[in-house]
Amino acid sequence: MSDVGVLLREWRGNRRLSQLQLAGQAGVSARHLSFVETGRSRPTREMILRLAEGLAVPLRARNALLLAGGFAPAFPEGDLGGPDLAAVLASLRAVLIGHEPCPAVLIDRHWTMVDGNAAVPLLTAGVAPELLEPPVNVLRLSLHPDGMAPRIRNLGEWRAHVLHRLDRQALATGDPVLRALHDELRALPGGRDAARPDGVVVPLRYAADGHELCFFSVTSVLGTPLDVTLDELAIESFLPADAATATFLRAR
């Protein structure tokens, strides 16, 4: 098989699609797709991109597919500290501020915190200083016994939610760093009770400032990114899940 054929077949297996299903989505014949996967046919740049679109492959991996096929990457990868992304990052910063008094963080593809608003210290007060040394991984921060974990009142349920979400993300992206992070967090102690929550979302029940607060999380991503770095950014915000939490946040 050619390198690009191997990668396409791996992505198709990851998405649990048959050759016939992917061929139908991409508008190609199953026979031609089979030839591409086995290396009997060399795909064009347009074919690679069409198949990648049908497989919902992340932009970073689409560039890798193109390189494997002998083509230049199609999507730029901007520097978070560079001028090209400055305007978008400024807008995302405004979104973070707009979430106040609710905590919200901007994260990259590995759950490293890029930015956060003024309400984030409500959740990080009392954690070990080394966990707040950049780069800060927000999932490690939440489940580590020296981090937020001792103040999470439903740690088992929250831990199960985080690990399930991270497992799905690692599978969807094929990112070995996310898989290693999942294995690391799964090995952390505590919170083994993972009873099914009673409500309509998995809450974060958190002890802070002498109150038990209740949040639900919302993830926001850019709708039309054409840059690898922007494609991998997300805002994770924590909104009040009950009236008491909303009142507490407004009072702060």
Side-chain angles (χ1 to χ4, degrees):
M1 295 184 187
S2 68
D3 289 341
V4 68
V6 171
L7 291 175
L8 285 168
R9 185 171 183 176
E10 288 177 353
W11 277 106
R12 182 173 60 78
N14 180 281
R15 297 297 189 253
R16 300 181 180 179
L17 293 174
S18 68
Q19 285 185 343
L20 187 60
Q21 288 172 318
L22 176 57
Q25 290 184 15
V28 300
S29 72
R31 177 183 174 86
H32 183 57
L33 176 58
S34 176
F35 280 11
V36 168
E37 289 188 354
T38 58
R40 294 177 64 185
S41 177
R42 184 175 183 271
T44 64
R45 181 180 185 275
E46 291 71 23
M47 177 62 67
I48 293 172
L49 290 173
R50 188 189 304 178
L51 292 171
E53 179 71 22
L55 291 165
V57 175
L59 298 190
R60 180 179 297 276
R62 295 188 196 196
N63 279 345
L65 285 170
L66 288 168
L67 287 170
F71 301 101
F75 305 99
E77 182 177 353
D79 180 358
L80 284 174
D84 291 342
L85 304 186
V88 176
L89 289 176
S91 295
L92 292 175
R93 174 63 182 167
V95 173
L96 292 176
I97 294 172
H99 275 85
E100 294 172 4
C102 301
V105 292
L106 179 65
I107 55 173
D108 68 9
R109 65 188 174 121
H110 294 145
W111 290 87
T112 302
M113 186 167 71
V114 177
D115 200 355
N117 66 14
V120 171
L122 173 68
L123 301 180
T124 60
V127 307
E130 58 268 22
L131 291 174
L132 296 176
E133 288 291 328
V136 177
N137 184 279
V138 298
L139 295 188
R140 183 181 295 114
L141 181 66
S142 70
L143 296 185
H144 198 283
D146 295 328
M148 295 166 55
R151 285 167 288 281
I152 299 177
R153 293 296 180 247
N154 60 330
L155 180 58
E157 155 180 293
W158 184 254
R159 169 192 169 92
H161 160 69
V162 168
L163 291 177
H164 176 66
R165 181 176 176 183
L166 186 55
D167 179 65
R168 291 178 59 188
Q169 185 182 3
L171 183 64
T173 60
D175 192 327
V177 175
L178 291 176
R179 179 56 61 195
L181 178 62
H182 175 273
D183 294 343
E184 174 197 338
L185 299 183
R186 186 176 59 180
L188 291 175
R192 298 300 177 181
D193 178 17
R196 184 178 178 85
D198 295 331
V200 295
V201 296
V202 178
L204 172 65
R205 302 189 185 280
Y206 199 71
D209 287 353
H211 295 78
E212 182 172 313
L213 307 177
C214 188
F215 299 94
F216 66 90
S217 63
V218 174
T219 303
S220 306
V221 297
L222 291 171
T224 55
L226 294 176
D227 178 276
V228 171
T229 302
L230 295 181
D231 183 52
E232 296 170 342
L233 292 180
I235 289 178
E236 191 80 4
S237 50
F238 294 86
L239 306 180
D242 59 28
T245 302
T247 299
F248 173 85
L249 293 175
R250 286 195 296 268
R252 293 182 81 242

